[in-house]
């Protein structure tokens, strides 16, 4: 009998130990190399952890605080400069932390965990005739990641994403959880929106919503020199134009950096319910994928893409669609998998009145440099005085560039050399550049574009004195300040 009891005790100890080991293993992977969308910074992290539990996330942060571990925070990882990981760090993959916590359609408010995507939100609120106020052109991104880079989109009646954030809850480096809003912990509100995951883990967010509406497309071709005046006279002060975008030709002369087309999304006069209108999914992407593919490798391909694209969208004049569907742009055709090459994004912001002379200066550089630009999309963003690292010090046009380059050290160095020239031109015109992408900019360019840079990094160390939350962006620009 005594022997059986001893065996039972040993068996119990074995089961408990095995269970604990298995539970720990569930949340870990062996040391793994991770990459973001650009695939230029492959990095070995210590482990990747995923959770659906606030208590578990809180425990991990407390444990890391005691052990001195570094924490990086990831969503869809479309930031392209290692903002979502760090060597030998514990990477928190937040995509499984994605529940809707509260929805108040009468107040146009929704509270979601930070791993929820814009697509998750659109599907949840669509049946109530509501829509998102501000998001990227695609709906695949997580809310937490979008807040961390303070995104903007096509809507011109709201500013950047910070304008639509009512409040959030933040898991700090010491393991405590606080409310952050314009009234509570206001300084952190300015820091976390556009804070690149350096101040804590965003747990959940309350967002302000908009009414879903019917829009009529208005597509117009013009010369780039006409754009500023057209926008100021015909778009900005017309309250019925709710959303706006434009594209600038990167095809060879005579259209290079000269031809444009703009698309306005005008409020339809006779509104009806949007509740029964299906949410659009990606359509046929074969033709745009082929056209984009040819443009990567030839000038005639760029010309063919531009003419086809421009003519297609001009034929969309008068098309009617809902706000939710305008904000569900196709992105599948842009997927690109090459062993030797990759595609990066750059984004430059320039004051509205500087646009024409700015384009002239860009063209002067690009006619002498070999930079494989595939697309430039233009959006408008209001002045933002809330986020500490604001990219919109004035009312700005945002030029989003898609660039194809070699993945080699030489390819990256060549791109860096040209990009620094483009950033200098942007700064000379009173503009700035966007931070989620590969860190081509110099320290002086960063501080010129973002005058509160040193204050931002000093406050990072105030709120996270052990520098637990780490990524490549901070290591590149803030670690030694």
């Amino acid at each position: 009998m005594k022997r059986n009891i001893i065996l039972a005790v040993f068996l119990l100890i074995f089961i408990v130990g095995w269970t604990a080991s298995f539970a720990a293993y569930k949340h870990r992977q062996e040391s793994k190399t991770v990459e973001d969308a650009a695939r230029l910074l492959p990095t070995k992290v210590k482990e990747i952890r995923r959770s659906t539990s606030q208590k578990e996330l809180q425990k991990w942060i407390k444990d890391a605080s005691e052990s001195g571990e570094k924490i990086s925070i990831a969503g869809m990882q479309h930031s392209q400069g290692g903002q979502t990981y760090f060597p030998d760090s514990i990477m928190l993959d937040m995509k499984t932390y994605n529940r809707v916590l509260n929805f108040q359609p009468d107040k146009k408010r929704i509270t979601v965990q930070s791993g929820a995507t814009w697509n998750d939100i659109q599907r949840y609120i669509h049946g109530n005739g509501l829509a998102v106020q501000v998001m990227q052109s695609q709906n695949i991104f997580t809310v937490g990641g979008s807040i961390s880079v303070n995104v903007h989109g096509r809507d011109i009646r709201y500013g950047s994403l910070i304008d639509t954030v009512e409040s959030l809850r933040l898991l700090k480096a010491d393991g405590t959880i606080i409310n952050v809003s314009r009234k509570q912990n206001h300084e952190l509100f300015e820091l976390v929106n556009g804070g690149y995951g350096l101040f804590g883990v965003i747990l959940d967010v309350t967002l302000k919503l908009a009414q879903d509406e019917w829009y009529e497309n208005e597509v117009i071709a013009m010369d780039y020199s006409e754009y500023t005046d057209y926008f100021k006279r015909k778009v900005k002060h017309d309250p019925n134009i709710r959303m706006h975008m434009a594209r600038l030709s990167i095809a060879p002369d005579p259209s290079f950096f000269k031809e444009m087309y703009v698309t306005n999304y005008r409020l339809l006069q006779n509104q009806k319910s949007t509740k029964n209108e299906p949410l659009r999914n990606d359509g046929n992407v074969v033709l745009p994928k082929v056209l984009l593919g040819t443009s990567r490798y030839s000038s005639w391909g760029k010309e063919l893409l531009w003419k086809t694209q421009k003519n297609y969208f001009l034929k969309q004049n008068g098309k009617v669609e809902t706000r939710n569907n305008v904000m569900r742009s196709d992105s599948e055709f842009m997927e690109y998998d090459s062993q030797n090459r990759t595609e990066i994004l750059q984004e430059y912001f320039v004051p509205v009145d500087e646009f024409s002379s700015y384009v002239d200066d860009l063209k002067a550089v690009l006619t002498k440099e070999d930079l494989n630009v595939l697309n430039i999309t233009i959006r408008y963003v209001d002045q933002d005085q809330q986020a500490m690292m604001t990219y919109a010090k004035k009312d700005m046009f945002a030029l989003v560039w898609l660039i194809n380059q070699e993945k080699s050290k030489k390819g990256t160095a060549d791109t860096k050399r040209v990009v620094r020239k483009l950033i200098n031109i942007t700064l000379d015109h009173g503009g700035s550049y966007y931070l989620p992408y590969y860190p081509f900019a110099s320290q002086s360019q960063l501080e010129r574009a973002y005058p509160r840079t040193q204050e931002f990094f000093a406050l990072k160390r105030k709120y996270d004195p052990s520098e637990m939350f780490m990524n490549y962006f901070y290591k590149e620009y803030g670690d030694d300040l």
Side-chain angles (χ1 to χ4, degrees), residues 355-392:
F355 179 77
S356 294
S357 59
Y358 175 60
V359 170
D360 289 337
D361 289 346
L362 292 175
K363 184 175 181 178
V365 169
L366 292 174
T367 52
K368 299 176 183 177
E369 298 286 357
D370 185 20
L371 189 69
N372 192 10
V373 184
L374 303 180
N375 184 73
I376 296 180
T377 300
I378 301 167
R379 305 188 192 113
Y380 168 79
V381 59
D382 277 339
Q383 181 182 21
D384 169 25
Q385 295 181 325
Q386 297 183 77
M388 184 168 291
M389 295 295 273
T390 178
Y391 45 76

Side-chain angles (χ1 to χ4, degrees), residues 315-328:
K315 289 178 182 178
Q316 300 300 301
N317 210 349
K319 178 182 178 181
V320 174
E321 53 189 329
T322 65
R323 178 185 181 90
N324 269 325
N325 280 331
V326 169
M327 300 173 89
R328 294 175 68 82

